[in-house]
Amino acid sequence: MESERVVDFQSLTRNVGRFDLRNKTFLIPQMSRIGVHLVAATFRSFGINAKVMDTCRGLDLGKEYTSGKECYPCQITTGDILYFLKKEKEKLGKDFSPGNYVFFMPETGGPCRFGMYNKYQRIILDSFPELKDVKIGSLTTRDGYSLAGIIEKEQVRDLRKAAYFSIVIADILDRLLWKIRPYEKEPGMTDDFIERSMHVMEDVFETYGTNKDFDKILDKLEEIINEGKTIIDPGIPPKPIIGIVGEIYVRTHVQANQDIIRVLERYGAEVINASVAEWMNYTTYDRFREARIGFRFSLKQIRLGLMREYLKKIISFKGDLLYQELRQKQAYKRIRSLIDLAEDHKVADLDNVLKEKDLFCFDVGTEACLSIAGIVEYAREGYNGVVNVYPFTCMPSTITSAIVKPLMNKLRIPYLDAPYDSGFQPGREAAIRTFMYQAHQHFKRNGISTGPWGSGARRGC
Ligand code: SF4
């Protein structure tokens, strides 16, 4: 493919946004592997031809068409889409029709760079004459990832509900993997089992997603969990618990984080990563919080029209949040009767933690809100160590590190910053090994159930 230097600024609005996905191929880049596969299956159940793209195969292309100053997830996803389209073009020849594809790249309204990925990727796609017609389908946190306009109006709410549920189930499967693998009877059993289970759940979501038959989906999940329990060797003693926070893409993308969870496990850890649903709940909670603030201001200024608008938003976002939390609770309640998996933190509680400790503020925004408060919660719950996983130079995660490192020192809880780009740091493994040595010491001193703030049992244990 030959690139030309072309910047058509109108294309940034014309070809980036929400598009009707019927009769298109919807290309989803990988993040959490299980998560994106279940979301794609849910979209397929609604008649959308959703496809998960291979990841990191086109990393060289990603690096070639970025300057090196972009965040690592931007490089990876740029490479993923260029590689996919290149291969598709080779495969289809003259039948290749760029207008048939919509590449999924959501955004946030800032303050960091995530709002710019899809604009930058638009400029790159536009620089290839043959790729100009590939659209970028973008959902935004500004309206809590509304799906309006991509499918028939009557189906929008159902699709949103089913897609959210698929994310919760994917989180549970991930947590099942991290729960079983450190205690498996034979190496490799858990990986095989989870890979199989992911495909089973894909079929289940394709069949039941469109009718939102969540009970049937949970029935299947129960079967999977019961099978997974048979892999655990009860003779292996409990291990130190390590909590992961950080930037959502890199901490959930196994290739991007160089499989850090497996490396931690190799040095004796049981790991719990922050979930993807937590981010979904956070974006809904934050829109609700902003609407409440807006309502209070308009009340002070006695602006009735604005008050009415904000009131509508409050009702809508609060309704969404309650629904999400209810679904998530139901799912965890059912599976926790079978196996002890950690539940998610409630976002309102995380907001309160930050206020109580005066560490940071939801008004600033970004994932730092979740990471800082999440670490405080891990500490309260008696985790034996915390790792902050993020792309090199990531703004919210650097803020997290600056605030949390002194706090962890004071609490004598092992803490590790793990920034990633496409390079391999020679000292990384030694840093993880040292961190795990400290975590083992913490485990010997404190066990697993009493946190430094002495608040009692760890979730899910
Ligand atoms: S969260 Fe970090 S990695 Fe993601 S866009 Fe913002 S600065 Fe970049």
Side-chain angles (χ1 to χ4, degrees):
M1 295 192 295
E2 282 298 314
S3 157
E4 289 171 4
R5 294 188 177 278
V6 184
V7 179
D8 167 8
F9 286 105
Q10 282 182 1
S11 175
L12 300 182
T13 45
R14 206 175 50 234
N15 294 322
V16 180
R18 274 197 302 251
F19 300 104
D20 191 336
L21 296 180
R22 285 164 295 179
N23 305 318
K24 303 277 181 211
T25 300
F26 187 40
L27 302 173
I28 305 180
Q30 281 203 36
M31 192 173 82
S32 144
R33 179 171 152 72
I34 302 178
V36 293
H37 278 87
L38 297 197
V39 168
T42 308
F43 273 78
R44 287 197 295 274
S45 82
F46 281 79
I48 294 168
N49 180 24
K51 204 177 172 94
V52 177
M53 294 184 295
D54 280 342
T55 190
C56 284
R57 291 196 173 194
L59 190 54
D60 285 347
L61 283 170
K63 287 199 242 175
E64 190 179 336
Y65 292 102
T66 51
S67 69
K69 293 178 192 157
E70 301 78 4
C71 304
Y72 189 31
C74 182
Q75 277 191 333
I76 297 178
T77 51
T78 301
D80 288 350
I81 182 64
L82 289 178
Y83 181 82
F84 176 87
L85 293 171
K86 186 176 164 216
K87 289 286 156 200
E88 198 75 344
K89 207 170 147 239
E90 283 167 14
K91 191 171 84 188
L92 297 177
K94 60 179 175 23
D95 291 336
F96 175 73
S97 174
N100 286 344
Y101 301 93
V102 177
F103 166 53
F104 178 54
M105 182 46 62
E107 63 175 39
T108 60
C112 71
R113 293 175 275 190
F114 188 42
M116 300 312 290
Y117 288 16
N118 53 30
K119 320 289 181 297
Y120 186 65
Q121 288 165 338
R122 182 70 264 159
I123 292 169
I124 294 173
L125 291 179
D126 284 349
S127 74
F128 296 97
E130 70 276 31
L131 302 182
K132 278 185 180 177
D133 290 336
V134 175
K135 297 267 192 275
I136 298 186
S138 177
L139 306 178
T140 172
T141 52
R142 274 193 293 268
D143 53 17
Y145 294 131
S146 163
L147 301 178
I150 68 170
I151 195 169
E152 281 99 351
K153 212 169 161 203
E154 321 66 75
Q155 287 191 300
V156 166
R157 284 202 77 74
D158 284 351
L159 174 57
R160 194 178 196 285
K161 286 175 179 174
Y164 175 77
F165 196 65
S166 71
I167 289 170
V168 171
I169 300 302
D171 284 342
I172 290 174
L173 281 180
D174 268 332
R175 289 192 169 175
L176 187 66
L177 165 72
W178 307 322
K179 184 76 185 176
I180 298 175
R181 195 166 57 190
Y183 306 101
E184 64 190 352
K185 286 176 181 157
E186 279 172 36
M189 282 178 92
T190 317
D191 288 329
D192 290 347
F193 159 70
I194 290 290
E195 185 68 17
R196 253 190 303 117
S197 304
M198 181 186 83
H199 294 305
V200 169
M201 288 314 283
E202 269 182 287
D203 291 344
V204 168
F205 270 94
E206 274 200 49
T207 312
Y208 300 116
T210 184
N211 296 327
K212 299 197 301 334
D213 203 338
F214 299 140
D215 280 333
K216 289 244 169 54
I217 294 171
L218 285 174
D219 289 345
K220 197 72 207 171
L221 185 66
E222 276 189 5
E223 278 176 33
I224 288 173
I225 286 171
N226 283 327
E227 189 191 337
K229 279 163 69 178
T230 63
I231 296 174
I232 297 174
D233 177 350
I236 300 175
K239 300 182 174 189
I241 309 291
I242 305 301
I244 289 186
V245 295
E247 189 274 336
I248 191 166
Y249 184 91
V250 167
R251 77 175 146 77
T252 60
H253 187 285
V254 171
Q255 290 91 335
N257 64 42
Q258 297 167 16
D259 214 351
I260 187 168
I261 294 183
R262 197 183 296 272
V263 181
L264 287 162
E265 286 172 358
R266 204 186 306 142
Y267 291 105
E270 179 189 328
V271 180
I272 295 166
N273 196 351
S275 77
V276 177
E278 184 184 69
W279 172 257
M280 303 298 294
N281 292 349
Y282 165 71
T283 56
T284 313
Y285 176 86
D286 211 39
R287 295 300 77 81
F288 163 67
R289 202 184 60 86
E290 280 173 5
R292 238 178 14 188
I293 294 170
F295 181 79
R296 263 188 248 126
F297 273 124
S298 49
L299 183 66
K300 269 189 197 160
Q301 296 166 340
I302 325 179
R303 297 171 71 181
L304 293 179
L306 262 186
M307 279 167 64
R308 215 174 297 125
E309 251 176 58
Y310 280 122
L311 201 58
K312 265 199 236 156
K313 285 188 183 171
I314 289 174
I315 294 167
S316 160
F317 288 126
K318 184 67 186 177
D320 286 347
L321 184 65
L322 287 176
Y323 176 83
Q324 288 169 206
E325 288 176 348
L326 182 81
R327 277 275 161 249
Q328 197 181 24
K329 209 146 199 67
Q330 276 176 343
Y332 276 91
K333 196 172 167 201
R334 253 181 92 172
I335 55 102
R336 274 167 59 82
S337 63
L338 303 171
I339 190 164
D340 276 338
L341 293 189
E343 272 190 86
D344 257 3
H345 299 118
K346 208 173 159 195
V347 181
D349 293 344
L350 296 180
D351 190 6
N352 289 333
V353 164
L354 291 186
K355 284 180 192 148
E356 188 192 305
K357 301 273 169 214
D358 200 16
L359 287 169
F360 196 66
C361 178
F362 267 46
D363 289 336
V364 183
T366 79
E367 272 179 325
C369 301
L370 298 177
S371 295
I372 295 168
I375 289 173
V376 172
E377 287 298 87
Y378 283 155
R380 268 194 180 143
E381 290 154 5
Y383 280 50
N384 304 109
V386 181
V387 185
N388 181 18
V389 179
Y390 56 94
F392 180 62
T393 75
C394 171
M395 185 192 85
S397 302
T398 309
I399 294 172
T400 301
S401 171
I403 292 175
V404 159
K405 217 187 265 180
L407 184 66
M408 293 293 104
N409 264 341
K410 203 162 126 201
L411 296 172
R412 303 190 62 210
I413 298 175
Y415 172 83
L416 181 70
D417 277 328
Y420 288 91
D421 57 17
S422 57
F424 283 82
Q425 284 183 17
R428 167 95 60 205
E429 182 126 359
I432 292 177
R433 205 166 50 217
T434 310
F435 165 78
M436 278 311 300
Y437 172 78
Q438 293 167 343
H440 279 286
Q441 299 304 311
H442 185 277
F443 180 62
K444 273 190 207 154
R445 267 200 321 272
N446 303 289
I448 54 168
S449 62
T450 310
W453 280 304
S455 67
R458 181 172 62 83
R459 290 168 306 141
C461 294

